[in-house]
C-alpha cells in the first residue's frame, strides 16, 4: 500500500484517467493521499502572439472542471493539482514536492514517434525517484 500517489491525467483521454484513478484508490493506504494532477503545456513564445491572451487561463479552468468531474465519477477523495510546463518535468516536480512513493501514469501503445522522441510516460519512468506504475 502506498501513502502518497501522484495520478497525472491527460484530460483529453478521461477514460484512461478514470481507470488509473480507480487503480490508485485500490493501491492507496487507508491513511494515504492521492494527488490528481494535470499539466497544461505552455504555448511556445513564437506562437503566443497569435493566440488570445486568456487561452492559458481558460485551459487551466477547463482542466480543473474536468478533474473535479473525474474525481466525482470515480468517487475517490483526491487533491487536485494543476501545473503548467512540460508534462514529464512537472509530473516529476509534483512527485518530489509531495514526497510521493508512487506515480501511476497511463500510457498509450507506442508508435514510431515514441522511439524517436519518447513519450511522457517514458520520461517519467526514466527519471522518477519513486516507484512508477505504467498502466495501458
Amino acid at each position: 500500500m502506498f501513502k502518497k500517489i501522484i495520478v497525472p491525467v491527460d484530460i483529453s483521454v478521461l477514460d484512461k484517467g478514470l481507470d488509473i484513478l480507480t487503480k490508485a484508490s485500490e493501491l492507496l493506504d487507508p491513511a494515504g493521499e492521492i494527488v490528481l494532477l494535470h499539466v497544461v503545456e505552455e504555448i511556445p513564445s513564437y506562437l503566443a502572439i497569435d493566440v488570445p491572451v486568456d487561452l492559458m487561463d481558460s485551459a487551466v479552468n477547463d482542466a480543473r472542471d474536468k478533474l473535479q468531474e473525474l474525481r466525482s465519477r470515480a468517487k475517490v477523495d483526491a487533491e487536485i493539482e494543476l501545473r503548467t510546463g512540460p508534462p514529464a518535468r512537472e509530473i516529476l516536480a509534483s512527485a518530489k514536492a509531495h514526497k510521493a512513493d508512487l506515480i501511476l501514469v497511463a500510457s498509450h501503445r507506442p508508435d514510431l514517434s515514441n522511439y524517436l522522441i519518447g513519450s511522457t510516460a517514458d520520461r517519467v519512468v526514466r527519471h522518477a525517484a519513486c516507484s512508477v506504475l505504467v498502466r495501458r
Side-chain angles (χ1 to χ4, degrees):
M1 304 304 270
F2 296 93
K3 298 210 179 281
K4 182 73 83 155
I5 302 175
I6 305 296
V7 181
V9 173
D10 178 352
I11 61 168
S12 68
V13 194
L14 283 179
D15 288 340
K16 283 190 176 190
L18 181 62
D19 176 56
I20 62 172
L21 184 55
T22 302
K23 187 64 177 174
S25 70
E26 294 169 5
L27 297 171
L28 188 66
D29 185 83
E33 296 178 73
I34 294 173
V35 176
L36 187 56
L37 171 68
H38 177 71
V39 180
V40 177
E41 290 190 67
E42 294 173 330
I43 299 167
S45 59
Y46 61 88
L47 293 176
I49 198 164
D50 294 330
V51 297
V53 176
D54 64 344
L55 183 66
M56 287 299 288
D57 290 338
S58 59
V60 168
N61 290 334
D62 182 49
R64 182 177 292 110
D65 293 343
K66 288 185 178 178
L67 290 180
Q68 289 171 341
E69 176 188 333
L70 179 63
R71 182 175 62 182
S72 296
R73 281 179 53 202
K75 297 179 177 80
V76 171
D77 185 30
E79 173 187 340
I80 291 177
E81 181 176 0
L82 295 162
R83 289 177 170 251
T84 58
R89 183 188 76 194
E90 293 302 321
I91 291 167
L92 295 168
S94 177
K96 184 177 181 180
H98 289 284
K99 297 181 176 135
D101 50 355
L102 177 68
I103 300 170
L104 180 56
V105 63
S107 180
H108 59 278
R109 296 272 177 217
D111 59 14
L112 184 59
S113 69
N114 294 119
Y115 295 110
L116 297 175
I117 60 172
S119 71
T120 298
D122 294 334
R123 288 185 184 111
V124 169
V125 168
R126 281 195 307 266
H127 300 289
C130 63
S131 296
V132 179
L133 174 60
V134 179
R135 187 146 166 111
R136 287 192 193 220

